[in-house]
């Protein structure tokens, strides 16, 4: 069973940048599909970006061109590079893992989340 711990959330001004990190333990993530989700106040959780084990990435249209998902398999870490942040990006961001190479379907593991606030 994999455990996920996110970090890097902060309060920033609109137009700023952040990098979120997610360190995995309990298993190696190289063969996993990994993803980032977010949940804004009074809204449901939404998929932000996913990264399959073959390196193919998909992004929600709202973040395309501004966010980049990346992984460092050697350090069992997933990243989300965010630039040109907007107030609508304010949310709790969750790292997620799906223990198969492809990203279709549900994710079985989530971290505890890290808060991003853009004003």
């Amino acid at each position: 069973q994999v455990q996920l711990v996110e970090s890097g959330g902060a309060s920033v001004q609109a137009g700023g940048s952040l990098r979120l990190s997610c360190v995995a333990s309990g298993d190696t993530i190289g063969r996993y599909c990994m993803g980032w989700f977010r949940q804004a106040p009074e809204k449901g959780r939404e998929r932000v970006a996913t990264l399959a084990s073959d390196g193919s990435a998909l992004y929600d249209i709202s973040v395309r061109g501004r966010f980049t998902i990346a992984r460092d398999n050697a350090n069992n870490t997933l990243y989300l590079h965010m630039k040109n942040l907007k107030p609508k990006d304010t949310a709790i961001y969750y790292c997620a893992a799906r223990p198969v190479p492809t990203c279709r379907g549900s994710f079985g593991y989530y971290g505890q989340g890290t808060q991003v606030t853009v004003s």
Side-chain angles (χ1 to χ4, degrees), residues 56-108:
S56 55
L58 290 175
Y59 297 92
D60 183 83
I61 192 170
S62 65
V63 306
R64 208 168 292 165
R66 299 188 298 120
F67 290 12
T68 303
I69 188 171
R71 70 166 84 203
D72 179 352
N73 288 336
N75 290 300
N76 234 26
T77 301
L78 180 74
Y79 299 101
L80 185 67
H81 301 267
M82 306 185 292
K83 65 180 182 180
N84 191 20
L85 284 160
K86 306 176 186 297
K88 66 180 181 178
D89 296 317
T90 295
I92 299 174
Y93 283 72
Y94 298 91
C95 173
R98 177 174 155 77
V100 293
T102 60
C103 294
R104 289 194 176 189
S106 62
F107 284 67

Side-chain angles (χ1 to χ4, degrees), residues 22-38:
C22 170
V23 177
S25 61
D27 199 358
T28 55
I29 64 171
R31 290 175 294 177
Y32 282 37
C33 165
M34 300 297 294
W36 287 97
F37 290 70
R38 67 185 179 187

